[in-house]
Amino acid sequence: SYELTQPPSVSVSPGQTASITCSGDKLGDKYACWYQQKPGQSPVLVIYQDNKRPSGIPERFSGSNSGNTATLTISGTQAMDEADYYCQAWDSNTVIFGGGTKLTVL
Amino acid sequence: EVQLLESGGDLVQPGGSLRLSCAASGFTFSSSAMSWVRQAPGKGLEWVSSISNSGGTTYYADSVKGRFTISRVNSKSTLYLQMHSLRAEDTALYYCAKDQVAAAGPPFDYWGQGTLVTVSS
């Protein structure tokens, strides 16, 4: 079965750029999307179709997807961006989530 | 404003059954596929099932195939998840999510607050 692999944790200083990766076999041939989940809250879609932002999502969130890796980039990271981030893809009529990455802003 | 309100979560014994509901509002329910996603305590997101806008196509995770059934009643703007033969590993917060398009599949652009299912004796 298809798997998506994310690093368990990423740390970034305020104002710096955070990059969270998601790896899967030929992931670049599929669309990837990303969700942000803060403690006690429901997930929020932040990137879809590799690099599109839903309305209301700040421009500092961007995405890319090529080869075997999709990347969520947060430019000028703010304290409010501290959360768990999950990548997602669709393969063989199945929705796959990555294991999640805890982003710490310190 | 899109709203998804789940209900039906409860404490149930192993082997038992439960039906979850998700009442939708704020969008044309019959135009969107819908999905269920669960999250075990302290764990990540796990997709459970998706259904197309018409209800004619359904998809299931292997972990629930044959035990869970997704359905919808468009006239009531309501999504359901019928769960049978529940196991301890089904314990989770179950989210209802709206798919962005009519055909089932990601992305999920709106999520409910979840309903808690606990399977324990």
Side-chain angles (χ1 to χ4, degrees):
Chain A
S1 61
Y2 196 81
E3 293 184 356
L4 294 174
T5 301
Q6 299 180 234
S9 63
V10 168
S11 297
V12 64
S13 300
Q16 299 303 301
T17 297
S19 295
I20 300 173
T21 59
C22 174
S23 299
D25 185 49
K26 297 180 181 177
L27 181 56
D29 292 343
K30 313 175 194 300
Y31 276 136
C33 49
W34 292 89
Y35 299 88
Q36 175 194 69
Q37 186 179 34
K38 297 181 179 180
Q41 297 184 19
S42 303
V44 172
L45 179 67
V46 294
I47 293 289
Y48 68 100
Q49 288 184 9
D50 296 340
N51 54 22
K52 295 181 170 59
R53 277 180 294 106
S55 61
I57 300 301
E59 290 185 8
R60 63 179 181 274
F61 287 87
S62 63
S64 63
N65 185 16
S66 179
N68 295 323
T69 304
T71 303
L72 172 69
T73 303
I74 309 173
S75 304
T77 307
Q78 300 182 9
M80 68 172 65
D81 300 329
E82 186 163 286
D84 293 327
Y85 290 85
Y86 296 89
C87 60
Q88 181 195 47
W90 173 253
D91 177 80
S92 301
N93 295 328
T94 300
V95 175
I96 304 101
F97 283 101
T101 298
K102 181 176 180 59
L103 177 67
T104 301
V105 183
L106 43 67
Chain B
E1 178 192 6
V2 172
Q3 291 195 339
L4 300 170
L5 185 59
E6 304 95 335
S7 61
D10 204 349
L11 171 63
V12 60
Q13 291 189 342
S17 298
L18 208 57
R19 188 178 82 157
L20 306 183
S21 299
C22 172
S25 61
F27 66 102
T28 305
F29 185 72
S30 59
S31 296
S32 293
M34 298 292 295
S35 298
W36 289 98
V37 177
R38 68 185 181 184
Q39 187 169 33
K43 302 297 185 182
L45 301 174
E46 180 188 13
W47 171 73
V48 173
S49 182
S50 296
I51 186 168
S52 62
N53 66 316
S54 67
T57 304
T58 58
Y59 303 101
Y60 297 93
D62 287 344
S63 58
V64 307
K65 202 171 295 183
R67 300 188 298 124
F68 291 11
T69 301
I70 191 172
S71 62
R72 62 191 296 161
V73 177
N74 285 347
S75 62
K76 295 184 177 181
S77 296
T78 303
L79 175 72
Y80 301 99
L81 184 67
Q82 179 68 55
M83 304 185 293
H84 294 296
S85 303
L86 283 161
R87 308 165 179 167
E89 54 264 36
D90 295 318
T91 293
L93 186 63
Y94 283 72
Y95 292 105
C96 165
K98 171 187 169 297
D99 295 21
Q100 197 176 56
V101 296
F108 304 155
D109 54 2
Y110 291 94
W111 298 61
Q113 290 302 304
T115 187
L116 182 62
V117 173
T118 302
V119 184
S120 174
S121 55

